[in-house]
Amino acid sequence: MSILITIEGGDGSGKSTQARLLSQALIDKGHKVTALREPGGTNLGENLREILNDNQQQHTNLTDLSQLYLFLAARAQLVTERISPILAEPNNVVVCDRYIDSTVAYQGYGVGFDIDFIKQANHYVIGNSKPNLTILIDCPINIALSRTMSRTEKTSRFETKPNEYHERVRKGFIKLANDNHDRWRIIDGTLDKKTLSKQILSLALDVINAPNSNIN
Ligand code: TYD
């Protein structure tokens, strides 16, 4: 059996850094790891990522509904091209930076599209490629946004949203995690990078080494 671990959190939560550190730590322990990110991981996905992040300001009139469907399209491609074939092989670990829950938190709780519709669409898009473990890196909005402000790259479409939007997204993630303790673990994103990465590695190893995971 193979394992899918997803890392979730708001903008500036540190999740991309932690996803990278986790992948490297698992490789160092001898695991066969594939690191992916959403939107992205395929040609189509990376192209959609450019459009969605819109750093060039060429797609300023992209509607919220168009964005929802583009995130789903990027995911459909990623699952079919990459995640599903990798999970079908034995002893793989896939670490994905964002997945189904980002769409529920951002387009559902953040923007206001119907939560059940998004969950059903996700279900349809991913089929059997369900995460075995989802780690939420939770971080207060003021701390998270001050981190994104200090980044050098151009501000993306999402980082210009009001604080209330980010608050709704944060609460959405927490609700999702609290509704499914089997799959989710919440980590304190204000901890220092090293402590955080140790905690995340330990959670990942718990799942990888669980008796029913069958990972060698
Ligand atoms: P990401 O590249 O993870 O940004 P960062 O690493 O800076 O947190 O994600 C880009 C943006 O896309 C982010 O604001 C969250 C948003 N997003 C959605 O709104 N819905 C989705 O389904 C996904 C996957 C991302």
Side-chain angles (χ1 to χ4, degrees):
M1 187 180 135
S2 285
I3 299 272
L4 171 59
I5 298 171
T6 60
I7 315 284
E8 297 280 6
D11 297 46
S13 60
K15 117 209 106 42
S16 301
T17 306
Q18 290 300 329
R20 258 196 316 276
L21 291 173
L22 174 63
S23 298
Q24 192 53 55
L26 292 174
I27 291 169
D28 293 345
K29 290 199 171 290
H31 290 288
K32 240 187 327 160
V33 179
T34 305
L36 298 170
R37 67 172 179 182
E38 274 218 27
T42 64
N43 277 341
L44 177 72
E46 292 297 332
N47 282 323
L48 292 178
R49 184 183 184 86
E50 289 268 303
I51 294 172
L52 284 158
N53 279 344
D54 194 34
N55 284 335
Q56 291 80 31
Q57 301 295 315
Q58 284 166 359
H59 303 279
T60 41
N61 56 355
L62 197 59
T63 68
D64 287 336
L65 189 58
S66 306
Q67 290 178 44
L68 167 61
Y69 281 99
L70 293 184
F71 281 119
L72 292 170
R75 180 163 308 132
Q77 199 71 23
L78 183 68
V79 170
T80 306
E81 270 188 39
R82 309 285 314 272
I83 296 180
S84 167
I86 295 169
L87 294 181
E89 298 289 324
N91 300 330
N92 283 308
V93 181
V94 178
V95 176
C96 197
D97 177 355
R98 297 198 183 283
Y99 197 47
I100 44 176
D101 305 293
S102 277
T103 317
V104 182
Y106 281 88
Q107 280 62 48
Y109 290 102
V111 178
F113 288 118
D114 188 77
I115 304 288
D116 287 335
F117 169 73
I118 298 173
K119 285 186 175 175
Q120 273 181 38
N122 271 334
H123 184 71
Y124 196 79
V125 163
I126 69 166
N128 290 329
S129 300
K130 297 189 187 113
N132 302 84
L133 169 68
T134 300
I135 295 169
L136 171 59
I137 304 182
D138 178 54
C139 191
I141 301 306
N142 55 338
I143 297 177
L145 292 184
S146 70
R147 288 178 185 164
T148 65
M149 297 298 175
S150 62
R151 284 185 196 162
T152 46
E153 76 251 33
K154 279 196 208 152
T155 313
S156 77
R157 172 195 307 280
F158 298 93
E159 286 160 1
T160 55
K161 296 260 190 186
N163 281 8
E164 301 77 61
Y165 170 82
H166 292 288
E167 288 290 357
R168 289 196 299 275
V169 171
R170 181 184 184 206
K171 287 199 181 115
F173 272 128
I174 293 171
K175 176 162 173 35
L176 287 171
N178 286 332
D179 284 350
N180 186 348
H181 289 290
D182 282 351
R183 168 160 75 92
W184 288 80
R185 296 288 179 272
I186 303 182
I187 293 269
D188 177 357
T190 63
L191 293 171
D192 66 274
K193 200 159 93 176
K194 212 167 156 194
T195 310
L196 216 56
S197 66
K198 271 193 194 157
Q199 288 189 2
I200 291 172
L201 176 61
S202 149
L203 292 174
L205 290 175
D206 283 349
V207 171
I208 291 169
N209 296 328
N212 59 354
S213 86
N214 295 329
I215 283 210
N216 300 317

